[in-house]
Amino acid sequence: LQAKRSATNISDFITANEAGKLPDRNAAETMSRVPGLSVTTDQGEGRYVTIRGIDAALNNVTVDGQMIGSPEGDTRRVALDTVPADVLSKVEIIKSVTPDMDGNAIGGTINLITPSAFDDADGEFFSATADAGYYDLGSDNPFGASAAFGRTFGPEKQWGVVLSGSYSDRTFVSQNVQGGDPWTDEGDFLVPDEFNLRDYEIQRKRMGFVANLEFRPSDSFELYWRNLYNDYEDIELQSEYTADYRNGDLEDQTPTSGTFTEGEAVRANTERKEVQKILTSSLGGEFRIGDSWTLNASVTYGETEQDTPFDNYHEFELDTETPMTYDTSRRFFNVDAGDIVFDPERFEFNEAGQGGQLIEEDMTIGQVDLQRDLMLGSTPASIKFGTKVIDREQTSDQDFDIYDGFEDDYLMSQVVQSRDLTFVSDAGGYRFGRGVDYRAAQDFFLANQALFERSDADSVAESYGVDYEVREEVTAGYVMGTAEFGRATWIGGVRYERTANDFSAFDVVFVDGDAVSDPPRQVRGDKDYENWLPSLQVNYT
């Protein structure tokens, strides 16, 4: 509260002590209690942070004030479930951007602050945590542990070191019902989209490490080397049943029900492993020059990676169209397709996919800031100016083969699960039935791969359609003035940013369903633009 009250911009803060009062698994969950923020969850865990309703991709995420890259290839948003909450000393959410901050913060800036040995008045601290739990669904036991150590040393306690580590392992089962979006007009009433049941078996491992070294021989001289590394592993086995029920004629419609005469059904199972890594290392210092000048300089190197070594699936479809009745009178809607969709003999092989993807990003940042403190008569003031260069390069490489045919009969009954599953919840029960046994289907595929028919067009589209190389250079400069007139603090200035992009991708072209070339033609392009970003803020106490 004191940090928020004394901040010159609109900010919120969460300290490690505050975060430790509740069992937050990651940094996103820690921020879920901040005013004006909401968190998008995935399987019960916080992932993306939205500031005042603005898309998470329009936020800037930094570690100790320096930008980090996104391990995902199709967005700039950073999945904050990769960062354990217990390796941080504080989280700062800045909702109003000043000229000395990066301009790519339309929603705001989320600054993850790592510990310093000089934060503790005694110059030494140690903390440790351990936790364990039990899940009734699946009978799994999640567990985790963390420890942090910091101390100052040297003849005059001018050196400081912090070492912090965290590990958690969470295995659990998840069952969900979805498919209601969008609801569209059918007949006289709104009807939800396709009906989908999913049974997940998930394991998530999260590791985080911090290593900081500082040198403060006097109040006017400081050097630091700050390092943060996170490793997040997600393995999901997903059995799925989908009823595409809105086909054919609509009969016997009421405000909450109706029957479509030609529904289709699909059963599939997918196994995916995804590993996200974030590494950032900053070397810099702050130097007081005389009585009025302060110089800050830093160099930061960062790496992010999203490695999906496999994302394989096996899909079977119902051998005929069948009437399906929907019911929206209950809390979650339901679709009844009769006993035919629970008969593994009625599902024929439709498609299989085998492959993975690797996304990598490297980032180098150089920054210099110079500030002069002065007096305008009896008014405290300052002028600050600086420059910053960001050089980042991201590549995406996916290899994926899709098989849409088999030379012989291949029914789901050959690779069916033994259990007949029913979802039970307060919203009512859902019979899932017997799904595809992923391991049996994968073993069958590997033993009979020569009999599967590869779809060249789909494989080319999946393998090259998301491959790219992008390099972005941002050169920035700013000037900013601050003055305190009585109870009002004025902050104004302008920031200039020039962005230069060079990129390459593949021109995937099809004629009559066939790829024109394999591999497709590689195309290159570039785009440069400039932004002038003026701002004025007044804080009245």
Side-chain angles (χ1 to χ4, degrees):
L1 291 176
Q2 179 61 32
K4 179 175 181 176
R5 185 179 295 115
S6 60
T8 55
N9 53 15
I10 303 174
S11 304
D12 282 281
F13 300 85
I14 302 174
T15 63
N17 286 342
E18 192 69 21
K21 293 178 181 178
L22 291 172
D24 298 324
R25 285 181 285 260
N26 58 61
E29 294 186 354
T30 296
M31 286 179 274
S32 65
R33 292 175 293 280
V34 174
L37 269 66
S38 58
V39 175
T40 302
T41 61
D42 178 67
Q43 299 294 350
E45 291 187 354
R47 171 162 288 187
Y48 302 110
V49 176
T50 296
I51 301 177
R52 296 183 298 190
I54 297 176
D55 192 296
L58 301 179
N59 298 331
N60 187 27
V61 179
T62 61
V63 174
D64 295 319
Q66 294 298 342
M67 186 187 306
I68 60 174
S70 171
E72 301 182 26
D74 57 351
T75 178
R76 289 180 182 265
R77 66 189 180 184
V78 177
L80 289 171
D81 56 352
T82 61
V83 182
D86 41 17
V87 298
L88 304 173
S89 69
K90 185 165 59 177
V91 178
E92 179 182 18
I93 300 94
I94 304 170
K95 301 177 183 177
S96 61
V97 181
T98 51
D100 58 341
M101 299 171 60
D102 296 307
N104 59 325
I106 293 174
T109 294
I110 299 168
N111 187 27
L112 310 177
I113 302 174
T114 59
S116 168
F118 294 97
D119 291 341
D120 193 277
D122 298 329
E124 185 171 0
F125 66 87
F126 175 78
S127 65
T129 65
D131 61 81
Y134 171 76
Y135 293 124
D136 184 61
L137 184 62
S139 301
D140 296 306
N141 298 99
F143 65 91
S146 68
F149 167 78
R151 66 170 297 182
T152 56
F153 62 95
E156 299 178 357
K157 302 293 184 180
Q158 71 272 39
W159 291 92
V161 63
V162 168
L163 298 174
S164 176
S166 172
Y167 177 82
S168 66
D169 189 328
R170 181 178 178 231
T171 300
F172 61 101
V173 171
S174 170
Q175 299 170 347
N176 72 26
V177 183
Q178 64 183 47
D181 184 26
W183 289 46
T184 55
D185 285 316
E186 291 283 0
D188 298 325
F189 303 99
L190 290 172
V191 175
D193 198 10
E194 66 181 18
F195 177 71
N196 189 277
L197 298 177
R198 290 179 180 174
D199 176 48
Y200 291 92
E201 298 176 28
I202 302 173
Q203 182 179 29
R204 289 181 172 174
K205 297 179 181 180
R206 187 179 287 106
M207 293 185 294
F209 302 97
V210 168
N212 291 346
L213 179 65
E214 296 175 85
F215 178 56
R216 298 186 185 181
S218 68
D219 293 338
S220 60
F221 188 91
E222 175 188 350
L223 291 175
Y224 60 81
W225 183 29
R226 298 167 179 158
N227 303 274
L228 179 142
Y229 174 77
N230 292 305
D231 187 299
Y232 172 75
E233 181 180 301
D234 181 22
I235 301 176
E236 296 188 5
L237 189 65
Q238 172 190 309
S239 184
E240 183 176 4
Y241 163 70
T242 301
D244 182 10
Y245 69 98
R246 293 167 52 174
N247 299 301
D249 298 326
L250 176 58
E251 299 176 345
D252 304 324
Q253 190 180 34
T254 73
T256 60
S257 66
T259 300
F260 288 90
T261 59
E262 298 177 4
E264 301 173 354
V266 172
R267 289 188 179 271
N269 205 326
T270 303
E271 185 177 47
R272 175 178 61 86
K273 179 179 180 179
E274 183 178 281
V275 181
Q276 292 189 352
K277 299 178 181 180
I278 296 176
L279 167 67
T280 178
S281 179
S282 294
L283 180 65
E286 180 178 303
F287 315 97
R288 185 78 177 177
I289 306 171
D291 295 330
S292 58
W293 291 92
T294 303
L295 173 67
N296 286 274
S298 65
V299 176
T300 302
Y301 175 75
E303 293 181 0
T304 59
E305 177 183 288
Q306 179 174 281
D307 184 12
T308 309
F310 57 85
D311 188 1
N312 305 332
Y313 68 89
H314 302 272
E315 181 180 287
F316 297 78
E317 65 178 356
L318 190 65
D319 60 7
T320 185
E321 296 173 340
T322 186
M324 295 186 179
T325 301
Y326 70 89
D327 179 8
T328 61
S329 62
R330 51 195 286 177
R331 179 179 177 187
F332 296 120
F333 82 104
N334 195 16
V335 170
D336 183 2
D339 292 337
I340 188 174
V341 297
F342 301 108
D343 184 356
E345 293 284 347
R346 303 301 300 269
F347 284 83
E348 302 173 331
F349 172 75
N350 182 48
E351 190 173 277
Q354 304 278 307
Q357 183 183 24
L358 178 62
I359 301 170
E360 297 177 296
E361 182 176 49
D362 295 330
M363 179 183 299
T364 304
I365 303 172
Q367 181 173 352
V368 177
D369 302 282
L370 187 62
Q371 177 175 314
R372 184 184 181 188
D373 299 324
L374 47 86
M375 296 293 293
L376 299 177
S378 60
T379 299
S382 67
I383 184 168
K384 185 179 181 181
F385 47 91
T387 184
K388 188 172 187 176
V389 177
I390 303 172
D391 187 346
R392 61 196 301 183
E393 184 173 357
Q394 187 178 88
T395 61
S396 171
D397 181 21
Q398 177 165 290
D399 293 311
F400 210 86
D401 291 320
I402 294 179
Y403 301 84
D404 59 1
F406 188 71
E407 290 187 3
D408 203 350
D409 292 334
Y410 179 24
L411 302 178
M412 180 182 143
S413 57
Q414 298 173 242
V415 290
V416 68
Q417 292 176 335
S418 58
R419 62 177 182 175
D420 194 322
L421 185 63
T422 297
F423 296 176
V424 179
S425 72
D426 293 339
Y430 293 88
R431 184 183 176 190
F432 182 88
R434 299 166 66 194
V436 179
D437 186 320
Y438 172 82
R439 185 50 52 197
Q442 184 71 4
D443 291 344
F444 183 89
F445 172 83
L446 295 176
N448 301 277
Q449 188 168 353
L451 301 179
F452 285 85
E453 300 169 6
R454 180 178 181 269
S455 171
D456 293 335
D458 291 340
S459 300
V460 168
E462 290 294 327
S463 295
Y464 294 99
V466 296
D467 288 1
Y468 61 82
E469 296 181 6
V470 178
R471 182 173 183 179
E472 180 178 83
E473 295 181 359
V474 179
T475 304
Y478 72 91
V479 59
M480 182 179 77
T482 303
E484 298 179 14
F485 295 98
R487 296 187 177 186
T489 301
W490 295 69
I491 303 175
V494 62
R495 185 179 184 89
Y496 165 81
E497 291 190 349
R498 181 183 183 274
T499 304
N501 285 308
D502 294 296
F503 44 85
S504 66
F506 290 94
D507 187 16
V508 184
V509 178
F510 297 94
V511 175
D512 297 329
D514 296 322
V516 172
S517 60
D518 183 4
R521 180 175 64 93
Q522 191 172 28
V523 295
R524 299 185 179 275
D526 59 78
K527 183 177 182 180
D528 301 343
Y529 56 92
E530 299 176 340
N531 285 312
W532 289 91
L533 307 170
S535 70
L536 176 64
Q537 297 184 45
V538 182
N539 185 352
Y540 184 82
T541 302

